[in-house]
Amino acid sequence: MLKTIRTKIIITYSLVMVAFISTLLLSTFFNERSRVLELALEKSTEISKMHAELLNQEFSQYIAMLKVLSDSSEIKSNDLEKIQSQLKRLMTVGDGDFINTVYVDINLNLIDSHGNKNKVTHPFFLKGDQWTGKKHNITTPLFSRFEKKPVILVAVPILDSKKEWVGTIAAAVPIKIIDEKLSAIKVAKGSYAWIADSENVVVSHPNKDFLMTKISSSSDNNFIGLSSLIRKAALQEDGYGQYLDKNMNESKIVTFSKIQNLPGWNLFVTTEETEVFHDIYEVLYNVLITSFFLMIVFLIIIIKLSGKITKPLIQLTKDVKLSADNKNSQFTVIHSNDEIGQLYKAFCETTQKIHQHTHYLEEMVSNRTKEISAKNLILKEKNDQLEKIASTDSLTKLYNRRAFSALIDEEMLQADHHDIPATLIVLDIDHFKKINDQFGHDVGDDVLYRLARELANDDNKDLICRWGGEEFVILLSDTQSNIASTYIEALREKISKVNFDPVGRLTFSAGIATVKPKESFREWFQRADKALYKAKESGRNKIEWG
């Protein structure tokens, strides 16, 4: 059988072509497979992070709505009619995202937006000291007495003037709302998104059979590797993993990202492995078909063209291997219109398609990254606006008591550490109640605003705030007592000459105190406050030291 040269050439050629095509396919597959997988994971991870951030923003809005309502006077009035009215208003503002809203007072008496009343016994409702250090609380899914379907409770505390808990305001978000928002997420073909809470319970999933089921080590019976993936998600902010679906006999790739406002909750994006490598399999299939066809054609003319064919084939093999390792490498040009030329063109087009697909995935990841950066910038701007609103008195535009209390700690630390004198001034408008009684509260508010402008126009103080009512507090950093006395006397003289039409002239009384070593702010403020009352009792329009 192998006696003739022709047979040897044909068999040798056939073996060479098989080896060549195998090398081409394997080299292309293993080099491009890892690259495609890496890009697909990056893209899927960015999608997970982006949509986790979008869900985080949704819950941030819920928390902001509840926070605004918790600070309202109607909620703190203990008037159930007003409270229920505010709860109904919150349902309207929620735009269908809330199935119910509830108010719980200090005695754990509950009323919801529908007028239902009850005594709170569920352990998920925080109370008293349980709210210490917490600005909000979001529960895992639960079944309440009023809603028969699982809901997530988003709650914020109601605090009195002493920052002590006096009640809770909460909104019930049904699981179906999470499903609706998750279904709006656009993912790649063959992919789907789902959510698990801090207890590893599936909260949202396109397959309803998985809803409200807990993922544990027993889940590995049907989904090998899924429980270890869940444990990994509990330890990392974002990442990826893989598990085998025994029911479908399919390997699946999963990326995940934490949802910040939902502690311990993760958003997962699952993709079938076959979909990740679909394009590369198609390209390899086309390469295989083309190569096989050309091999048959070459076998017919191998006897006459063996010498001419061998040389370009060897060169083409080298070029294909270089192209698989380096996408910037170029094929050596083969000027031929025969089968060798066709083979060269087919390899060029195939390699170009693979590189184009890789470039397309890189651009897609880059665009997703830019979108996420833009959304994060918008979120930062909104957070800055909320911070400014939270630290400013709405009437006078000065620092409010909350912001001043936060800033004073840093000032006292600097004063104590560097032995820098600091002086606190507590001033109060004389006979302000008479102004409100005689001219009305609108005029009284205007007087407070104009006085605040006069105080703010002075450049000799570091911090100034409206402490409450007609009382203002000024902090003079690095200021000795004699300089502080001169400053406050000049300020009192200045204010007494300003015409606060229609009220006319105003005066104020003030108490001053310079901080002592190792003194707390409360003790420091009490000395200044006592000095203020002393000034009031001694006839007003006076300044006393404490």
Side-chain angles (χ1 to χ4, degrees):
M1 179 178 179
L2 299 176
K3 292 181 179 181
T4 65
I5 295 176
R6 184 177 182 181
T7 303
K8 292 179 180 179
I9 292 174
I10 293 174
I11 292 175
T12 302
Y13 169 76
S14 300
L15 294 174
V16 169
M17 286 300 296
V18 169
F20 167 74
I21 294 173
S22 299
T23 302
L24 171 65
L25 294 177
L26 291 173
S27 177
T28 302
F29 176 77
F30 286 113
N31 282 278
E32 292 301 321
R33 184 181 187 275
S34 59
R35 189 182 306 171
V36 169
L37 176 61
E38 181 179 354
L39 290 173
L41 286 173
E42 289 180 3
K43 172 187 172 184
S44 184
T45 300
E46 290 301 326
I47 290 174
S48 300
K49 291 167 67 176
M50 180 179 69
H51 292 298
E53 181 58 28
L54 291 177
L55 286 175
N56 179 55
Q57 291 180 28
E58 289 284 348
F59 278 89
S60 293
Q61 291 179 4
Y62 298 160
I63 293 167
M65 292 178 194
L66 293 169
K67 179 61 180 172
V68 170
L69 190 59
S70 71
D71 291 334
S72 68
S73 58
E74 286 84 356
I75 289 295
K76 296 181 178 180
S77 67
N78 291 325
D79 187 325
L80 293 183
E81 290 186 2
K82 291 182 179 180
I83 290 172
Q84 188 178 359
S85 174
Q86 290 298 309
L87 293 176
K88 290 180 178 179
R89 180 172 174 269
L90 181 59
M91 291 285 289
T92 303
V93 173
D95 197 23
D97 284 2
F98 303 148
I99 194 172
N100 201 356
T101 52
V102 299
Y103 163 82
V104 179
D105 66 15
I106 194 171
N107 296 316
L108 301 183
N109 295 312
L110 178 147
I111 182 171
D112 68 3
S113 59
H114 307 302
N116 298 315
K117 297 179 181 179
N118 198 6
K119 194 78 172 179
V120 173
T121 57
H122 205 291
F124 281 177
F125 272 91
L126 303 184
K127 54 186 178 294
D129 293 338
Q130 292 176 325
W131 278 107
T132 301
K134 296 177 70 70
K135 295 182 179 179
H136 64 270
N137 184 53
I138 301 177
T139 70
T140 55
L142 57 87
F143 290 85
S144 73
R145 184 168 298 181
F146 302 135
E147 288 79 40
K148 304 305 180 184
K149 296 181 178 180
V151 298
I152 299 170
L153 282 182
V154 183
V156 300
I158 302 171
L159 306 177
D160 62 13
S161 59
K162 296 180 180 179
K163 303 301 181 182
E164 294 181 352
W165 178 81
V166 294
T168 300
I169 190 80
V173 181
I175 293 299
K176 70 175 184 179
I177 292 296
I178 306 298
D179 281 333
E180 291 172 3
K181 295 185 183 300
L182 204 61
S183 64
I185 294 178
K186 295 182 179 180
V187 294
K189 180 182 178 182
S191 300
Y192 57 87
W194 54 284
I195 294 176
D197 67 15
S198 58
E199 302 295 330
N200 298 333
V201 174
V202 178
V203 175
S204 179
H205 198 286
N207 186 344
K208 302 305 179 184
D209 294 336
F210 286 96
L211 287 179
M212 303 309 294
T213 61
K214 185 171 183 176
I215 300 174
S216 61
S217 56
S218 62
S219 303
D220 283 349
N221 295 333
N222 294 316
F223 306 99
I224 300 174
L226 182 59
S227 63
S228 62
L229 175 64
I230 291 296
R231 290 193 296 272
K232 182 179 180 181
L235 301 174
Q236 299 178 195
E237 287 295 317
D238 55 70
Y240 60 86
Q242 196 170 7
Y243 72 90
L244 177 64
D245 186 343
K246 292 181 66 176
N247 298 325
M248 305 292 294
N249 195 25
E250 248 181 9
S251 179
K252 296 187 177 181
I253 296 171
V254 182
T255 57
F256 60 86
S257 182
K258 288 195 180 303
I259 306 172
Q260 295 301 322
N261 264 328
L262 299 171
W265 291 44
N266 286 280
L267 184 143
F268 298 84
V269 175
T270 300
T271 306
E272 297 174 4
E273 188 179 74
T274 54
E275 285 298 327
V276 173
F277 302 116
H278 174 75
D279 290 338
I280 193 171
Y281 289 149
E282 186 175 349
V283 170
L284 291 174
Y285 177 77
N286 291 334
V287 171
L288 180 63
I289 296 299
T290 303
S291 301
F292 180 78
F293 172 76
L294 293 176
M295 187 179 70
I296 298 300
V297 173
F298 289 154
L299 281 173
I300 299 174
I301 59 175
I302 189 62
I303 302 297
K304 295 181 180 180
L305 300 177
S306 57
K308 185 178 180 180
I309 292 173
T310 303
K311 185 176 180 179
L313 279 179
I314 293 174
Q315 183 61 49
L316 185 57
T317 302
K318 293 180 180 178
D319 290 344
V320 169
K321 290 181 178 180
L322 289 174
S323 177
D325 295 330
N326 183 7
K327 65 180 181 181
N328 295 320
S329 66
Q330 299 293 325
F331 280 75
T332 302
V333 178
I334 299 177
H335 298 286
S336 175
N337 294 323
D338 57 12
E339 289 79 6
I340 293 296
Q342 295 176 29
L343 182 62
Y344 161 75
K345 292 178 182 178
F347 286 147
C348 286
E349 291 173 358
T350 300
T351 305
Q352 185 179 13
K353 287 180 180 179
I354 292 174
H355 292 332
Q356 286 176 348
H357 181 69
T358 302
H359 180 68
Y360 168 74
L361 289 176
E362 290 173 346
E363 285 187 341
M364 183 174 291
V365 170
S366 177
N367 291 335
R368 291 293 187 184
T369 302
K370 291 177 181 178
E371 290 177 9
I372 292 172
S373 298
K375 293 182 183 297
N376 285 339
L377 182 60
I378 294 172
L379 180 62
K380 183 179 182 301
E381 291 175 353
K382 291 184 177 180
N383 286 338
D384 290 342
Q385 292 172 2
L386 288 174
E387 179 62 27
K388 184 176 181 181
I389 293 172
S391 63
T392 304
D393 179 62
S394 59
L395 174 61
T396 63
K397 310 306 179 185
L398 300 174
Y399 283 122
N400 59 24
R401 184 169 179 172
R402 169 184 169 275
F404 185 85
S405 297
L407 293 170
I408 194 68
D409 291 337
E410 182 177 351
E411 291 291 339
M412 291 187 69
L413 183 64
Q414 291 291 328
D416 185 61
H417 185 70
H418 299 288
D419 196 21
I420 298 173
T423 302
L424 192 69
I425 300 173
V426 181
L427 64 86
D428 186 276
I429 300 174
D430 293 332
H431 304 296
F432 185 74
K433 184 176 183 303
K434 292 181 179 180
I435 295 174
N436 279 335
D437 293 342
Q438 183 176 352
F439 297 97
H441 287 278
D442 288 342
V443 172
D445 288 348
D446 184 60
V447 167
L448 290 173
Y449 174 78
R450 291 169 62 187
L451 177 61
R453 292 305 91 208
E454 293 293 335
L455 296 176
N457 288 335
D458 188 85
D459 297 327
N460 294 324
K461 67 236 169 268
D462 292 336
L463 294 175
I464 179 170
C465 86
R466 182 187 178 195
W467 193 254
E470 68 274 20
E471 193 172 59
F472 296 83
V473 176
I474 301 172
L475 172 67
L476 301 178
S477 298
D478 196 9
T479 305
Q480 298 288 352
S481 57
N482 58 334
I483 298 175
S485 294
T486 302
Y487 163 73
I488 192 61
E489 285 292 349
L491 180 62
R492 185 173 64 86
E493 183 68 21
K494 172 188 172 183
I495 297 301
S496 66
K497 294 178 181 180
V498 177
N499 183 14
F500 290 87
D501 185 58
V503 176
R505 309 294 184 185
L506 284 182
T507 63
F508 66 79
S509 300
I512 312 177
T514 299
V515 67
K516 296 178 181 179
K518 306 301 180 182
E519 185 177 34
S520 68
F521 173 67
R522 181 177 180 182
E523 294 169 338
W524 186 18
F525 181 84
Q526 285 178 350
R527 288 196 295 114
D529 196 43
K530 288 179 180 179
L532 168 64
Y533 280 101
K534 184 178 178 182
K536 289 281 190 181
E537 291 173 354
S538 62
R540 290 185 171 82
N541 193 21
K542 290 186 178 182
I543 297 166
E544 294 288 347
W545 278 85

